[in-house]
Amino acid sequence: MAEKAAGGGVQSVERVFELLELITDAGGEVSLSELSSSTDLPLPTIHRLLRTLVTKGYARQLPNRRYALGPRLIRLGEGANKQLGALARPQLKSLVDSLGETSNMAVLDSDMVIYIAQVPSPHSMRMFTEVGRRAHTHDTGVGKAILAQLSNDAVRSIVARAGMPTPTDKSLKTIDELLAELDLIRERGYSIDEQEQELGVRCFAMAVPNAPTPSAVSVSGPVSRVDERFAEKAVPLLRAAVQSIAEELNLTA
């Protein structure tokens, strides 16, 4: 009897996480019918689990009766991001020690990237991004590295919801330009922010392989220092860093 109850509990947990992930994949807001069409769970089960999530604050029902992610998930996400950032920080420091330029780590958070760790360059003129800052995916090195890990359909959905603002005249302007860029990133294994986020700043980034949350690491600096010669040294070091982070994540999973 105890084993049956335990098994049922595990199944309920799996179903709860399935619903939360479906809401996240839908952009953070979804209707009951949309959830029903996206899962094999019976409608009464979906309704029961959502009611529990709403009661606990992990989901909320909007005035239009759609469901959205709840505020209590923010604290969990912030805690997880801090832990992931702390885990990656030694690798970021190693990149800065070797390359002399600022290194960042970011994760996909709904339709944006959020920076979770940074080790700054020792140079007085350097790239600076505040930890906790959210940015679009299409015009950042980390964002494009992450998007390249997703299907084109998933990329289209993210861009449709988040839009494609153009901070500089070098920013990608259309979904077709972005998809072509992602094909190139998949082929070479890393992304470049070619002054797309800020004029005068170039960034090389690489996704963390097999990360539980889509993640990427970057090195950024002024274009006068971050050039082709810099890339020749940076790309192998980035590859080693993300591989080390991936291995550490697997050890702690």
Side-chain angles (χ1 to χ4, degrees):
M1 182 71 70
E3 288 184 4
K4 183 176 180 180
V10 170
Q11 187 180 54
S12 293
V13 171
E14 290 175 345
R15 289 172 169 177
V16 163
F17 282 117
E18 181 184 355
L19 290 181
L20 290 174
E21 289 177 359
L22 286 172
I23 296 173
T24 301
D25 291 343
E29 181 183 321
V30 69
S31 69
L32 192 60
S33 61
E34 288 168 344
L35 281 175
S36 180
S37 65
S38 301
T39 179
D40 294 331
L41 295 177
L43 190 59
T45 300
I46 296 173
H47 194 268
R48 174 175 56 81
L49 293 174
L50 284 173
R51 191 167 59 246
T52 300
L53 287 169
V54 169
T55 300
K56 295 294 185 181
Y58 295 109
R60 54 197 175 94
Q61 189 171 26
L62 304 175
N64 60 5
R65 302 195 63 79
R66 292 169 68 83
Y67 288 89
L69 299 175
R72 291 197 69 181
L73 289 172
I74 296 173
R75 183 170 63 90
L76 295 181
E78 288 176 344
N81 283 342
K82 285 180 181 178
Q83 287 186 333
L84 180 55
L87 179 148
R89 189 174 176 80
Q91 295 302 322
L92 302 188
K93 185 177 184 305
S94 178
L95 286 169
V96 175
D97 290 344
S98 299
L99 298 168
E101 301 298 343
T102 298
S103 183
N104 287 287
M105 184 174 188
V107 299
L108 186 64
D109 181 36
S110 187
D111 298 326
M112 308 279 280
V113 290
I114 182 170
Y115 290 89
I116 63 170
Q118 180 183 90
V119 175
S121 163
H123 294 290
S124 58
M125 185 173 71
R126 62 195 182 195
M127 183 268 188
F128 178 78
T129 295
E130 184 178 357
V131 172
R133 172 176 171 259
R134 289 165 60 84
H136 282 83
T137 55
H138 72 284
D139 59 3
T140 54
V142 287
K144 290 192 292 183
I146 287 172
L147 290 182
Q149 306 297 303
L150 308 179
S151 69
N152 284 350
D153 284 344
V155 172
R156 288 189 184 93
S157 295
I158 287 172
V159 170
R161 291 189 295 263
M164 288 186 70
T166 53
T168 78
D169 59 5
K170 295 181 179 292
S171 304
L172 299 177
K173 299 173 179 62
T174 69
I175 185 65
D176 288 338
E177 287 180 325
L178 176 60
L179 293 177
E181 175 82 359
L182 296 181
D183 283 340
L184 180 58
I185 293 168
R186 292 172 186 128
E187 181 180 337
R188 70 187 175 200
Y190 62 92
S191 67
I192 306 173
D193 168 1
E194 189 59 74
Q195 305 183 69
E196 297 159 53
Q197 180 70 201
E198 183 179 349
L199 289 176
V201 174
R202 183 175 289 127
C203 167
F204 293 89
M206 197 172 291
V208 178
N210 303 313
T213 296
S215 313
V217 171
S218 69
V219 285
S220 309
V223 294
S224 59
R225 296 196 304 257
V226 180
D227 52 16
E228 289 186 13
R229 186 175 178 183
F230 176 90
E232 291 174 1
K233 185 178 180 181
V235 169
L237 291 175
L238 269 173
R239 186 173 293 112
V242 297
Q243 187 59 48
S244 180
I245 292 169
E247 291 171 359
E248 186 71 19
L249 285 172
N250 287 334
L251 286 175
T252 58

